[in-house]
Amino acid sequence: IKKIFKKYREQITYLIFGGLTTLVSIAVSSLFYYVIFGKTHNILSNVISEIVAITFAYITNRLFVFESKSNNIVGEITKFVSCRLLTLILEITLMALFVSILHINDMISKIVLQFVVLALNYILSKLIVFKKK
């Protein structure tokens, strides 16, 4: 197990922190929707949860997944957020295509697209945001 972890450390830690990012997003969204706003601001709750989740994802990806040593933190954050916004737009577009045009079940579409977005976020983070010189 130790040998496998060493070989695939980056991918394993990415999956672990990706799962934690999802939990952070759900928890923050629920907190704002059910407790703070009292079921009145669903969109605002989701926006706040995405901001918190992307921040959490950046910090954990930088420190634990890709172990970035870059001094250009502003550049890294800009690239990270840009990549996440790109995959969000792609997810929304594909969700509309799958559900409205192809008539694929919305939950099946969401689950499939989560895997697509997970893979794309990893690739973009590795090749663009935290690329090693």
Side-chain angles (χ1 to χ4, degrees), residues 10-11 14 61 66 120-132:
E10 190 175 273
Q11 293 85 354
Y14 185 82
N61 277 243
F66 298 103
L120 281 175
N121 281 336
Y122 174 77
I123 292 165
L124 293 171
S125 290
K126 185 166 183 69
L127 298 178
I128 296 172
V129 181
F130 302 107
K131 71 179 178 181
K132 305 263 195 262

Side-chain angles (χ1 to χ4, degrees), residues 54-101:
I54 289 172
T55 303
F56 176 82
Y58 170 74
I59 292 168
T60 56
N61 277 243
R62 176 179 168 77
L63 296 176
F64 305 113
V65 177
F66 298 103
E67 299 175 332
S68 176
K69 306 292 187 224
S70 173
N71 292 325
N72 186 8
I73 294 173
V74 173
E76 250 182 19
I77 291 171
T78 302
K79 287 189 264 185
F80 189 83
V81 171
S82 296
C83 288
R84 292 297 167 118
L85 289 175
L86 176 70
T87 57
L88 175 63
I89 291 166
L90 178 66
E91 179 184 6
I92 291 167
T93 303
L94 289 175
M95 189 72 174
L97 173 71
F98 287 5
V99 175
S100 300
I101 297 171

